[in-house]
Amino acid sequence: MDESGGSGQPRSGNDQSTDRHSGSTAQTTDPAHPEPTTADTKLAQTENPAARATRDEQDDKHPEADKPAAPEPAKPAEPTQPDAPADTPGSTGATPRLAKSRAPRKPKDPGGGLLMGRPFGVPVYVAPSWFLVAALITWVFGGQLDRVLPELGAMRYLVSLFFAVAFYASVLVHELAHTVAALRFKLPVRRIQLQFFGGVSEIEKESETPGREFVLAFVGPLLSLILAGVFYLALQTVEPGTVPGVLLAGLMISNLIVAAFNLLPGLPLDGGRMLRAIVWKITGRPMTGTIAAAWVGRALAVSVLIGLPLLTQSGALGSSAEDSVGMDTVTDALLAAILAAIIWTGAGNSLRMARLREHLPELRARNLTRRAVPVETNTPLSEALRRANDAGARALVVVDPDGEPLSLVREAAIVGVPEHRRPWVAVSGLAQDLTDGMRVSAELSGEELLDALRATPASEYLVVEESGEIYGVLSAADVERAFVKAMARPN
């Protein structure tokens, strides 16, 4: 089975700050550093619950506090202060030569185990849990070989290990089918991971149409069925009861099981994604398809939990009821519980991811950006805060004499400076140097915005217009708060 993921979100730090009405810009928590995620997306808290509740209550009373300043003329600059703010809201008034937004640096590999290769440019990882499963398959299949080919002796475990590797190679082919289809539809694939009970293709974006979603889900089971057919044809060319014959028969049956299991109509299985695509096509709403397929997946999890042990006890799976006692009964119940938990959890994750994607377009860099004022390197912190308060700004950008931005003053650092020391502390000592990834376009929104923040973790980002003019400063904490509020609203 495979799953879609990759929308990142801010991860909180530990620093906290409070709003000050004089001598300081409005402060928030030290924002979270955005990072990649898998199918289950969570947002870490930036504050203790009491502090967050208090601040949210204040925000409800004064909703304008979290929005960029409305267009209003700034106070005229004093003659001795050449870097006073301009009148444009969200802008410093400076037009730096090198402030144009640049493409963020390529993020590091997502990791997830032992890197095996990069077919089609997508990293393939083997999770540590795979080695546990490989050992289990080796032990179980070795016991079966002892009954079929007793003359192998201890060599049966080497043959069983070969079977485990070949089986997971078949699973990799299944996942590569999803990957090739995703790349064909221009959907980025973060990684492929072979793990406990199969593999996962982490596709970072959703298909644009239900037809593409159906194809993307169907190609995996289709490749498994094709592999089963190939192993069946190869089985006809070898003598039954030999090592090649047993291996080919085992691989044929295992691929049939993989295909049949993944075609079950419930998320997160491929059959669930196919059902989602069908409901999406009928209703015109992808969220409706997700809800339907996820609840079918949960019903499927309950059916597996109850039905698999009952089928084993009844002998419907090929063993007599007399043989299905003792340790075998416990093993079947444990296997059913693990499968049911995987399906139930995957269905819930699919619902959360769908809800996340519905609300992502509400995150817009332009709407979340704070107005900023430019200050030169040696400007005392007290003077910089005075200018920010006069301009109604909530952020400071350190610039050189030509107006080119050099760094951003960190909110958490301001809080750590006692008020009586601020006239003797230069803003440059509290600033973080700008990197290419810390310059983001004011036009970014949704997944594009989160991708940019995830590529370069930071607490603040310089927001620029397409012309290169500085628009303001974006705080990762503001993005997180907007995300939490959007997710809290009902669909």
Side-chain angles (χ1 to χ4, degrees), residues 365-416:
R366 187 176 296 278
N367 296 342
L368 297 173
T369 297
R370 300 176 177 185
R371 184 172 183 173
V373 294
V375 291
E376 293 190 0
T377 303
N378 296 325
T379 304
L381 177 59
S382 58
E383 172 63 15
L385 294 178
R386 184 193 66 78
R387 297 180 192 177
N389 288 333
D390 289 347
R394 301 177 59 200
L396 300 172
V397 178
V398 179
V399 298
D400 66 10
D402 295 328
E404 179 182 343
L406 301 175
S407 56
L408 302 178
V409 179
R410 296 176 294 115
E411 291 182 317
I414 295 176
V415 175

Side-chain angles (χ1 to χ4, degrees), residues 239-252:
E239 184 179 349
T242 62
V243 170
V246 172
L247 285 175
L248 290 171
L251 290 171
M252 178 191 70

Side-chain angles (χ1 to χ4, degrees), residues 16 23 47-48 77 113 117 144 207 235 323 329-330 339 364 433 437:
Q16 298 182 353
E47 305 171 71
N48 61 66
Q144 296 176 348
S207 300
L235 184 61
D323 295 334
T329 302
V330 175
L339 286 175
R364 299 180 179 276
D433 291 340

Side-chain angles (χ1 to χ4, degrees), residues 292-305:
W295 279 105
V296 172
R298 287 175 170 176
L300 181 62
V302 175
S303 300
V304 169
L305 179 63

Side-chain angles (χ1 to χ4, degrees), residues 16-234:
Q16 298 182 353
S17 58
T18 57
D19 289 345
R20 300 179 183 270
H21 297 287
S22 63
S24 172
T25 56
Q27 303 297 326
T28 63
T29 16
D30 191 19
H33 298 315
E35 64 179 10
T37 66
T38 56
D40 192 4
T41 305
K42 298 181 180 178
L43 288 172
Q45 299 297 318
T46 60
E47 305 171 71
N48 61 66
R52 179 180 289 278
T54 301
R55 194 201 59 229
D56 287 344
E57 182 179 354
Q58 293 174 350
D59 290 344
D60 291 338
K61 294 179 180 179
H62 306 285
E64 68 277 3
D66 284 337
K67 298 179 181 178
E72 61 180 39
K75 295 184 178 181
E78 298 177 8
T80 58
Q81 299 169 356
D83 46 352
D87 295 341
T88 306
S91 172
T92 63
T95 307
R97 296 170 300 182
L98 301 177
K100 295 186 178 180
S101 179
R102 306 174 190 174
R105 294 173 305 200
K106 184 178 179 180
K108 296 180 180 179
D109 286 342
L114 180 64
L115 178 63
M116 300 302 294
R118 296 177 178 275
F120 306 103
V122 177
V124 176
Y125 293 92
V126 174
S129 60
W130 177 87
F131 296 96
L132 176 63
V133 178
L136 180 61
I137 293 176
T138 301
W139 178 64
V140 172
F141 195 68
Q144 296 176 348
L145 282 177
D146 190 35
R147 292 192 293 268
V148 178
L149 300 170
E151 64 274 11
L152 286 178
M155 285 294 294
R156 67 181 183 274
Y157 293 109
L158 183 60
V159 176
S160 299
L161 179 60
F162 178 82
F163 170 78
V165 174
F167 168 67
Y168 269 88
S170 301
V171 173
L172 176 59
V173 172
H174 175 110
E175 298 303 329
L176 283 174
H178 292 303
T179 295
V180 171
L183 296 177
R184 175 68 178 80
F185 295 144
K186 302 187 185 308
L187 301 176
V189 182
R190 183 167 173 255
R191 67 178 177 181
I192 297 174
Q193 187 182 51
L194 300 180
Q195 57 186 7
F196 195 74
F197 277 113
V200 175
S201 300
E202 297 186 6
I203 302 171
E204 294 187 341
K205 292 186 178 179
E206 189 178 74
S207 300
E208 296 179 355
T209 65
R212 290 186 174 185
E213 175 76 358
F214 188 92
V215 171
L216 186 60
F218 180 64
V219 291
L222 176 62
L223 257 293
S224 293
L225 289 172
I226 291 175
L227 283 177
V230 170
F231 289 129
Y232 172 77
L233 294 177

Side-chain angles (χ1 to χ4, degrees), residues 336-475:
I338 293 174
L339 286 175
I342 292 174
I343 296 173
W344 183 279
T345 303
N349 290 345
S350 298
L351 279 174
R352 282 188 288 272
M353 289 300 299
R355 190 177 182 188
L356 181 152
R357 285 194 169 102
E358 272 207 333
H359 290 297
L360 276 183
E362 301 176 22
L363 301 180
R364 299 180 179 276
R366 187 176 296 278
N367 296 342
L368 297 173
T369 297
R370 300 176 177 185
R371 184 172 183 173
V373 294
V375 291
E376 293 190 0
T377 303
N378 296 325
T379 304
L381 177 59
S382 58
E383 172 63 15
L385 294 178
R386 184 193 66 78
R387 297 180 192 177
N389 288 333
D390 289 347
R394 301 177 59 200
L396 300 172
V397 178
V398 179
V399 298
D400 66 10
D402 295 328
E404 179 182 343
L406 301 175
S407 56
L408 302 178
V409 179
R410 296 176 294 115
E411 291 182 317
I414 295 176
V415 175
V417 180
E419 194 151 352
H420 68 276
R421 286 190 50 80
R422 291 178 180 177
W424 290 273
V425 176
V427 291
S428 59
L430 308 174
Q432 180 179 5
D433 291 340
L434 282 171
T435 63
D436 290 346
M438 290 174 63
R439 291 179 171 91
V440 299
S441 170
E443 303 303 323
L444 290 181
S445 63
E447 288 194 47
E448 291 183 350
L449 174 59
L450 294 184
D451 287 344
L453 304 190
R454 184 178 61 196
T456 307
S459 56
E460 288 92 10
Y461 299 83
L462 181 68
V463 181
V464 296
E465 298 281 11
E466 292 183 356
S467 62
E469 182 181 1
I470 299 174
Y471 183 73
V473 172
L474 176 66
S475 168

Side-chain angles (χ1 to χ4, degrees), residues 206 210 213 265-298 347 350-351 354-355 358 491:
E206 189 178 74
E213 175 76 358
L267 287 172
L269 304 176
D270 294 328
R273 297 184 62 189
M274 294 163 63
L275 174 62
R276 174 182 181 271
I278 293 172
V279 177
W280 177 4
K281 178 67 174 179
I282 294 173
T283 63
R285 286 180 52 84
M287 187 63 181
T288 303
T290 301
I291 293 173
W295 279 105
V296 172
R298 287 175 170 176
S350 298
L351 279 174
R355 190 177 182 188
E358 272 207 333
N491 291 324

